[in-house]
Amino acid sequence: MSNILHALTEFFLDFLETIIVSLAIFIVLYVFAIQPHQVKGLSMYPTLDNGEYLLTNKVTYRFSQPQFGDIIIFRAPHNEEYEYIKRIIGLPGDKIKISKGKFYLNGVVLDESLYLADDIITFQERYLKENVEITVPPDSYFVAGDNRPHSSDSRDFGPVPEDNIVGKAWLRYWPPQSVGILQHI
């Protein structure tokens, strides 16, 4: 009887140790390396669809700067309780303007043909007005959703401070037919 009790105790302790180590690894990864996010809304459609699940890479921007075309997750500048997902279209020092339904980057029409349909029109919002050029401040990024008519982005709330960036959208893991690494533009 004592052998059975001893074996059960060892099994339980081994099981508990496995659970604790697994939980510790999960917490370290979640806090420092990757974090799951759900796409809420259609602001990034057709690149990302409502209800899809992504893993966010929280390590990349500790060793390099965000790049043009990156899809990022960030805390909303006007209310940091909310997280948004958008595409970077302007880096620190870039000059951005909207004219005739198109973004201009440093005086040249921004070619967005890799992720936007040709018939998408980009309208002004509260922050960025038609034919008014702004310069992206240091340590900030200008972001826009791929579904311009249905996106609250830097046109509305201004550039996103680098400190608000949670990470780079890295891997779509749900739904199964869409699983894959998000391609950099």
Side-chain angles (χ1 to χ4, degrees):
M1 183 74 159
S2 68
N3 284 343
I4 294 173
L5 185 58
H6 180 71
L8 283 174
T9 302
E10 278 192 37
F11 172 78
F12 177 74
L13 291 175
D14 286 345
F15 181 74
L16 187 61
E17 180 182 15
T18 302
I19 295 296
I20 290 171
V21 169
S22 298
L23 188 59
I25 291 170
F26 172 78
I27 289 171
V28 167
L29 285 175
Y30 185 83
V31 170
F32 298 108
I34 58 174
Q35 182 176 344
H37 283 95
Q38 181 183 19
V39 178
K40 295 178 182 170
L42 295 172
S43 71
M44 286 298 293
Y45 184 81
T47 305
L48 299 171
D49 205 351
N50 185 46
E52 291 183 333
Y53 286 87
L54 311 171
L55 286 180
T56 303
N57 176 337
K58 296 167 69 172
V59 176
T60 297
Y61 296 145
R62 292 183 185 171
F63 302 104
S64 64
Q65 294 297 306
Q67 301 296 310
F68 178 86
D70 285 356
I71 298 174
I72 62 169
I73 287 79
F74 60 94
R75 292 180 307 282
H78 57 280
N79 186 348
E80 294 194 7
E81 289 181 25
Y82 295 103
E83 291 182 338
Y84 286 173
I85 181 166
K86 306 291 178 199
R87 184 182 304 278
I88 295 176
I89 64 162
L91 302 173
D94 281 346
K95 296 182 183 322
I96 304 272
K97 171 173 89 167
I98 293 176
S99 183
K100 299 177 186 165
K102 299 285 183 192
F103 271 119
Y104 283 74
L105 179 64
N106 300 320
V108 178
V109 174
L110 184 59
D111 178 10
E112 299 184 282
S113 60
L114 292 175
Y115 52 89
L116 286 185
D118 292 336
D119 61 346
I120 296 293
I121 297 172
T122 301
F123 295 105
Q124 70 175 6
E125 291 288 343
R126 289 183 303 175
Y127 178 80
L128 186 60
K129 302 293 185 190
E130 181 82 10
N131 291 315
V132 175
E133 186 174 77
I134 62 107
T135 300
V136 181
D139 302 319
S140 295
Y141 297 86
F142 198 92
V143 298
D146 289 355
N147 188 359
R148 301 290 159 71
H150 304 285
S151 179
S152 177
D153 50 39
S154 288
R155 295 172 296 158
D156 187 38
F157 51 72
V160 175
E162 187 170 5
D163 290 343
N164 285 37
I165 298 175
V166 173
K168 180 178 180 179
W170 169 58
L171 175 77
R172 179 178 13 223
Y173 66 91
W174 190 264
Q177 66 272 18
S178 299
V179 169
I181 293 176
L182 297 173
Q183 297 300 317
H184 178 77
I185 301 296

